[in-house]
Amino acid sequence: MSLLTLYRPNFCADCGAKIVRLRWHLWTSRRFCGSCVKQFLKEQWLQPLLAGVTLLALGIIVGRAIRPAPPPLLIQRGAAVAATTKESSQPPPATVADEIYLCGARTKKGTPCSRRVHGPVRCWQHKGVPAMLPIDRLRIKE
């Protein structure tokens, strides 16, 4: 007899009727006849379902418990900032202030484009299109 042979009862565990099945499958009931299996279908699947949910929850809990802690967040400062924090004789590097302009080209709506650009040029969408406003009105004063 093979190890994979499952138990095949001859009589129903509920009503005692003789069980005759031509083919036995893993999903067919082993203990009940065809008329009694409908009554116990919920009970038949409830226990394995609860066992599966319990194992899943236990796996999640154990997995979270053994997960290593994340490394601490390190904020690294640039060399320029680190040099100014220490008392040194060198002044901080000068920042170059770009003048900010508006694009000013005519849009489909007929109004000047309000995108900010570096210098008196047009934005990527309006390259080559002349501005509607004079240069002094396109400069943004900050």
Side-chain angles (χ1 to χ4, degrees):
M1 193 171 234
S2 173
L3 292 175
L4 296 176
T5 304
L6 297 174
Y7 172 69
R8 297 180 186 175
N10 294 324
F11 298 98
C12 177
D14 188 46
C15 66
K18 183 159 179 70
I19 299 176
V20 178
R21 288 204 174 92
L22 297 177
R23 293 190 180 153
W24 289 82
H25 299 284
L26 289 174
W27 57 87
T28 56
S29 173
R30 301 278 179 225
R31 301 180 308 170
F32 303 111
C33 63
S35 60
C36 294
V37 75
K38 294 173 187 167
Q39 298 171 4
F40 299 104
L41 189 62
K42 184 178 178 181
E43 293 175 10
Q44 182 181 0
W45 290 103
L46 187 63
Q47 187 176 7
L49 181 67
L50 286 176
V53 169
T54 304
L55 285 174
L56 179 68
L58 185 64
I60 290 172
I61 291 170
V62 169
R64 286 184 179 243
I66 64 172
R67 181 177 17 177
L73 179 64
L74 298 176
I75 300 174
Q76 296 179 351
R77 298 181 182 193
V81 176
T84 58
T85 57
K86 296 178 185 175
E87 293 184 19
S88 64
S89 61
Q90 296 177 352
T95 57
V96 178
D98 290 336
E99 291 185 358
I100 308 240
Y101 289 82
L102 292 177
C103 172
R106 182 180 299 272
T107 61
K108 287 183 180 181
K109 198 175 177 181
T111 59
C113 177
S114 60
R115 285 195 182 114
R116 294 177 179 223
V117 291
H118 295 284
V121 293
R122 304 291 82 78
C123 67
W124 64 269
Q125 189 175 10
H126 299 113
K127 285 183 181 175
V129 179
M132 289 177 61
L133 302 172
I135 296 286
D136 60 338
R137 292 199 51 204
L138 293 176
R139 184 176 304 160
I140 297 176
K141 297 174 180 128
E142 291 185 22

